[in-house]
Amino acid sequence: DIVMTQSPDSLAVSLGARATINCKSSRSVLYSPNNKNYLGWYQQKPGQPPKLLIHWASIRESGVPDRFSGSGSGTDFTLTINSLQAEDVAVYYCQQYYSVPLSFGGGTKVEIK
Amino acid sequence: QVTLRESGPALVKPTQTLTLTCTFSGFSLSDSGMCVNWIRQSPGKAPEWLARIDWDDTEHYSTSLKTRLTISKDTSKTRMVLTMTNMDPVDTATYYCARSPSNYDRTGYTQNAFDLWGPGTFVTVSS
């Protein structure tokens, strides 16, 4: 089974500053035949289900602000939130869909400093 | 409009069997490449994937829970059912269904992320 590890567990960022969240998989989620990383990022606000922000490690879902960006390949990935807004306060999860059983990281709580 | 919605009991007793239904609209499990999942989330914890059923009737289960889970779809292909046996208080959680449509490319069907979720249903396990 692939284990996903996120860091940090939480971070406090000033409004307008950058937030960086890391995600590491216990083995590569890059599928060489199509050169795709099977990695998604989700945002979850209290009382709501997770919302898909980014898939294939770096492709933003329709309607997601461009201050959200994903990068990385293989086993190491990053979600960056540029110019943090108040509405970005949430818990963020990475998730691999390379192989079953599918798995999520432990989450990173983003707050305003 | 594409939606999913979970339904089932809010309270079950320890050792009982939980049966949850996911009803969806705007797509069908007869659509090629379509997959629907069950995911749960205990209070304050990360989501945990439980099971998936695919358009071709393939079933996939969590390694740790597979002996307790059964997933199925009904003949309408717009409902999916999860049963979980021998419920325990540690199974108290919000249970979600979520769609993950596969894309077809030159390598075949490729799995995708969970692009749409239901609102979830909270299940308490207590005597």
Side-chain angles (χ1 to χ4, degrees), chain A residues 1 31-36 38-40 42 44 47-52 54-56 61 93 95 97-98 100-107, chain B residues 37 39 41 44-50 52 60-64 96 100 103 105-107 109-120:
Chain A
D1 298 4
Y31 186 53
S32 299
N34 61 14
N35 199 36
K36 288 183 174 179
Y38 287 56
L39 189 285
Y42 300 82
Q44 188 176 30
Q48 297 181 18
K51 172 189 172 185
L52 180 64
I54 287 171
H55 64 154
W56 304 126
E61 282 287 281
Y93 296 98
Q95 179 245 332
Y97 45 98
Y98 182 87
V100 290
L102 309 180
S103 49
F104 290 85
Chain B
N37 303 260
I39 298 155
Q41 188 172 29
K45 302 293 187 184
E48 176 187 16
W49 177 81
L50 300 177
R52 187 182 89 206
H60 306 272
Y61 294 100
S62 158
T63 304
S64 60
Y96 298 101
S100 59
N103 303 115
D105 64 19
R106 58 184 173 81
T107 65
Y109 279 102
T110 59
Q111 189 52 225
N112 213 326
F114 307 122
D115 69 342
L116 285 170
W117 296 60

Side-chain angles (χ1 to χ4, degrees), chain A residues 5 9-10 22 29 39 43 48 50 55 59 64 83 86 88 93 95 103 106 108-109:
Chain A
T5 303
D9 293 336
S10 65
N22 301 301
V29 297
L39 189 285
Q43 175 193 64
Q48 297 181 18
H55 64 154
I59 308 298
V64 173
S83 188
D88 301 334
Y93 296 98
Q95 179 245 332
S103 49
T108 297
K109 186 174 185 179

